[in-house]
Amino acid sequence: MPFISADGRHLWVRAVGSAEFANGVPIRLVGAFQDISDRIAQRLAMKEVNDRVALATESGGIGIWELNIETGELIWDARMYQLFGDASGGRAAPVLVWNQRVHPDDLAGLEEAMRQATEGERLLDVSEQRRLSGEMRWRATHDVLTGLVNRTEFEARLGRLLQAAQDGGEHALLYIDLDQFKLVNDACGHAVGDQLLQQMARMLVDSVRTRDTVARLGGDEFAILMERCAADQAQRVAQKLCDRMDDFRFVHEDRRFRIGMSIGLVPLDRRWQTAAALQQAADTACYAAKEAGRNRVHTWFDTDLAMRERQFEMQWVTRIESAIDDDGFVLYAQRLTPLKHRPDASHGVHAEVLLRMGQDGGPLVAPGAFLPAAERFHLASRIDRWVLRKVVDWMAALREPARIALLSVNLSGQSVGDRSFHRWALDVLAKAGPALCGALCLEITETAAVTNIADAAVFIDQVRAFGVKVALDDFGAGAASFGYLKTLRVDTLKIDGQFVRDLVDDPLDEVAVRCFADVAKVMGLTTVAEFVDKPAVLARLHEMDVDFAQGYLLHEPAPIAELGEPATMPT
């Protein structure tokens, strides 16, 4: 048993004794204590040596043999039998057994090697091999940039913890996504972004217990597995992380960035049957934290309606990806009606391209059903690529290109803020040629443009250099719409339908639309009024000198082929 001596030393003591009895009753104990600290230390040292040898031989695939020089008996370990393809697993045999398995040409060399080994002339140093093996194992389970556990190892540990949870016990999973990380990457470059990720990794490790697992899942996504941790304790840890981030500022040269953490917390217990369902819930909770304002914690609950809606949206992901890969989308178009004589409006069709999703044996799916999921799961930019590519190919194949005066294509906010999309789109436009670009318009919502105003301004100037028109969609929905016109050099204002629907009944809507039209006229911009569904509204727009009207009163969306017949259908 272990003891601590008066001078603070740790001792191992062996107690031996017996009891003395009188009339069957113990009256005293007689015995002695023996200090066996040295013996225990030797035993532990020997175990450590044996463990090291076992690790070295196992990682290096090394077999061990022992030779009794006096008896000639040769002992192999299990690895030796495996190396020689012998499944018998016998333990001892004369040295002759070894010699019989060696090719005659190698026998003399073998005997000399054994002589050197038994006489202490030759040893095998496996230090470098062991180091390399350990490094390879580490790289297979860790993220090189941050030193944290990687996704593969995290999912393995999550699976083990989930299995343990079936027998009871409380654990927790934190799913973490950095807020505003993209700003650092875009403003300072990826090398500086990597420095931020390394700082975040150190902060996460410092904020949890040593037995907890901190992992980098990829990009700016992290996760923490908290073993034997109740939900309220995990909540306190997660909130502490958000509080630290609230005070944190990332500084690079003369720039300061405020970064946040959106954290999804899921109690890990026996209710979860699969790791996939658990991770889905954690991701959903993390997104809910973002939607609630960022740099906060959202805990998953069984009755959380928002979570269930999020899980329903995730079912769209597979359908969207399939539609992108297998051309499962369908292009529709809605015409714009000119309200006054314009040279460019009388010699061709003006229309907006609209998207639908096909489904086997059923009606087409409207974009309102799948675009929210596309936005949330970062698929909107891929959809935009599909649409723009198909529209350009369709226009290039028209028998009478002049029939199309202007064809508008919507771009998502993700594409507006995605510089890789910008490069791709500019390459497509360059190859399309000036004639086609002159008949193309890109529509960007006011909200998307303002959210990514610096990138939007640059991209707008770049596409207009090719002759492409740019429309600011849903104009008036923002809080400072007129101010944006000083930064964004657009060609068209599409007046938000919320001001158009009740134009003849609501004096405020009438004043707003008239104001938008007057400003556009001063700046030399074309105006389009959306959601026109009443003749009275159409007449009032004509009086206000609005250029175009768009809505179901004038044209119900139809397949794009009805705008013009292609010479050959694009592939």
Side-chain angles (χ1 to χ4, degrees):
M1 61 183 69
F3 278 92
I4 299 179
S5 65
D7 59 1
R9 292 184 300 119
H10 286 74
L11 302 176
W12 283 88
V13 176
R14 180 171 180 262
V16 179
S18 63
E20 291 187 3
F21 294 84
N23 298 323
V25 177
I27 58 174
R28 63 177 176 177
L29 294 174
V30 178
F33 290 95
Q34 180 183 6
D35 185 353
I36 58 171
S37 300
D38 291 342
R39 186 189 309 171
I40 294 297
Q42 292 173 1
R43 185 185 303 169
L44 292 176
M46 182 62 70
K47 182 180 183 302
E48 183 178 357
V49 171
N50 290 337
D51 288 345
R52 288 178 178 175
V53 172
L55 176 62
T57 56
E58 181 66 25
S59 61
I62 300 171
I64 297 178
W65 54 267
E66 298 178 22
L67 176 62
N68 187 321
I69 300 177
E70 293 181 353
T71 65
E73 184 181 60
L74 183 68
I75 301 175
W76 286 1
D77 69 351
R79 174 72 69 178
M80 287 293 293
Y81 284 95
Q82 292 175 7
L83 292 174
F84 279 84
D86 188 335
S88 66
R91 299 297 298 170
V95 71
L96 182 61
V97 174
W98 180 308
N99 295 342
Q100 289 175 344
R101 294 174 181 265
V102 178
H103 192 281
D105 294 344
D106 297 327
L107 189 56
L110 172 62
E111 291 176 345
E112 176 60 20
M114 290 184 67
R115 185 195 65 78
Q116 293 178 0
T118 55
E119 295 178 6
E121 297 179 10
R122 181 178 176 184
L123 294 173
L124 177 59
D125 185 355
V126 296
S127 301
E128 180 64 11
Q129 186 174 4
R130 181 183 177 187
R131 186 191 68 80
L132 292 175
S133 178
E135 182 177 341
M136 290 176 64
R137 286 198 304 273
W138 188 91
R139 287 178 175 271
T141 57
H142 288 75
D143 172 57
V144 177
L145 176 65
T146 62
L148 301 179
V149 168
N150 62 19
R151 178 182 287 273
T152 301
E153 178 64 13
F154 164 78
E155 291 180 345
R157 296 188 185 186
L158 176 61
R160 292 194 294 268
L161 193 59
L162 186 60
Q163 184 65 35
Q166 303 309 309
D167 298 327
E170 291 183 287
H171 316 284
L173 167 62
L174 303 185
Y175 198 94
I176 302 168
D177 189 83
L178 297 185
D179 302 323
Q180 307 303 332
F181 173 74
K182 185 175 182 295
L183 290 179
V184 177
N185 258 357
D186 291 346
C188 306
H190 289 278
V192 177
D194 287 348
Q195 295 176 19
L196 172 58
L197 292 176
Q198 290 169 335
Q199 289 186 26
M200 293 297 97
R202 288 193 293 269
M203 190 194 76
L204 292 176
V205 171
D206 292 341
S207 301
V208 299
R209 303 164 303 180
T210 55
R211 71 167 177 261
D212 296 329
T213 295
V214 182
R216 182 189 177 204
L217 304 183
D220 60 346
E221 296 179 353
F222 299 84
I224 300 176
L225 277 177
M226 307 186 72
E227 298 185 40
R228 297 185 295 281
C229 179
D232 57 348
Q233 181 183 353
Q235 173 73 31
R236 288 194 294 271
V237 172
Q239 188 57 54
K240 182 177 71 172
L241 286 171
C242 289
D243 293 343
R244 291 186 64 176
M245 290 303 297
D246 201 42
D247 297 330
F248 174 79
R249 299 294 181 273
F250 179 72
V251 180
H252 176 67
E253 296 179 347
D254 58 342
R255 308 189 66 171
R256 292 167 59 88
F257 299 89
R258 182 173 183 173
I259 311 298
M261 277 185 181
S262 294
I263 303 178
L265 190 162
V266 182
L268 199 165
D269 49 38
R270 60 164 55 95
R271 91 186 77 177
W272 300 104
Q273 299 301 312
T274 66
L278 179 60
Q279 290 183 81
Q280 186 180 48
D283 181 60
T284 299
C286 181
Y287 190 85
K290 279 189 178 295
E291 286 196 322
R294 300 175 183 263
N295 201 50
R296 62 191 60 214
V297 184
H298 189 106
T299 302
W300 188 93
F301 296 100
D302 281 333
T303 57
D304 198 324
L305 178 60
M307 299 295 184
R308 298 196 179 279
E309 291 177 351
R310 166 84 161 153
Q311 290 171 350
F312 173 76
E313 286 184 341
M314 292 181 70
Q315 297 175 9
W316 281 107
V317 172
T318 301
R319 295 183 63 180
I320 293 171
E321 291 180 334
S322 178
I324 294 172
D325 295 337
D326 303 330
D327 286 343
F329 288 117
V330 180
L331 294 181
Y332 266 50
Q334 186 177 42
R335 294 173 184 253
L336 279 61
T337 301
L339 300 184
K340 58 184 179 179
H341 176 74
R342 293 174 56 94
D344 61 338
S346 58
H347 296 91
V349 174
H350 287 66
E352 177 185 350
V353 175
L354 304 173
L355 191 63
R356 304 288 187 265
M357 179 188 287
Q359 58 179 339
D360 295 337
L364 296 176
V365 181
F370 59 84
L371 284 184
E375 290 280 355
R376 290 191 177 189
F377 292 95
H378 306 289
L379 294 172
S381 187
R382 290 184 59 196
I383 292 177
D384 289 347
R385 291 183 185 232
W386 188 95
V387 173
L388 184 58
R389 177 79 272 167
K390 292 297 179 182
V391 168
V392 168
D393 289 346
W394 182 83
M395 293 176 69
L398 286 172
R399 285 197 186 97
E400 301 178 32
R403 178 172 173 76
I404 304 297
L406 198 68
L407 196 57
S408 298
V409 176
N410 290 280
L411 295 184
S412 67
Q414 290 176 13
S415 295
V416 173
D418 184 355
R419 295 182 183 180
S420 65
F421 176 86
H422 297 177
R423 292 190 292 269
W424 175 87
L426 294 173
D427 182 63
V428 169
L429 296 176
K431 294 176 181 176
L436 191 151
C437 288
L440 188 64
C441 176
L442 299 181
E443 291 192 12
I444 301 172
T445 65
E446 180 182 351
T447 303
V450 173
T451 303
N452 307 279
I453 193 163
D455 288 331
V458 172
F459 183 56
I460 288 172
D461 290 343
Q462 290 173 329
V463 299
R464 292 181 82 244
F466 284 104
V468 176
K469 303 292 191 298
V470 177
L472 196 58
D473 199 8
D474 298 338
F475 186 77
S481 298
F482 294 132
Y484 305 142
L485 296 179
K486 296 181 180 180
T487 303
L488 305 171
R489 297 176 59 245
V490 299
D491 303 280
T492 300
L493 297 185
K494 299 196 73 173
I495 302 171
D496 195 306
Q498 66 174 307
F499 301 103
V500 177
R501 289 192 186 95
D502 300 321
L503 177 62
V504 296
D505 301 317
D506 190 327
L508 289 178
D509 286 345
E510 181 172 6
V511 171
V513 173
R514 190 180 299 279
C515 180
F516 298 155
D518 289 346
V519 169
K521 187 181 300 182
V522 169
M523 300 188 68
L525 306 179
T526 301
T527 50
V528 178
E530 301 178 302
F531 297 97
V532 178
D533 57 0
K534 302 184 186 82
V537 171
L538 181 64
R540 187 65 57 85
L541 291 171
H542 192 278
E543 294 172 6
M544 293 179 176
D545 209 22
V546 173
D547 296 298
F548 289 87
Q550 180 182 359
Y552 275 70
L553 174 70
L554 304 166
H555 181 235
E556 187 170 338
I560 194 172
E562 295 184 11
L563 296 181
E565 196 66 31
T568 56
M569 291 301 295
T571 57

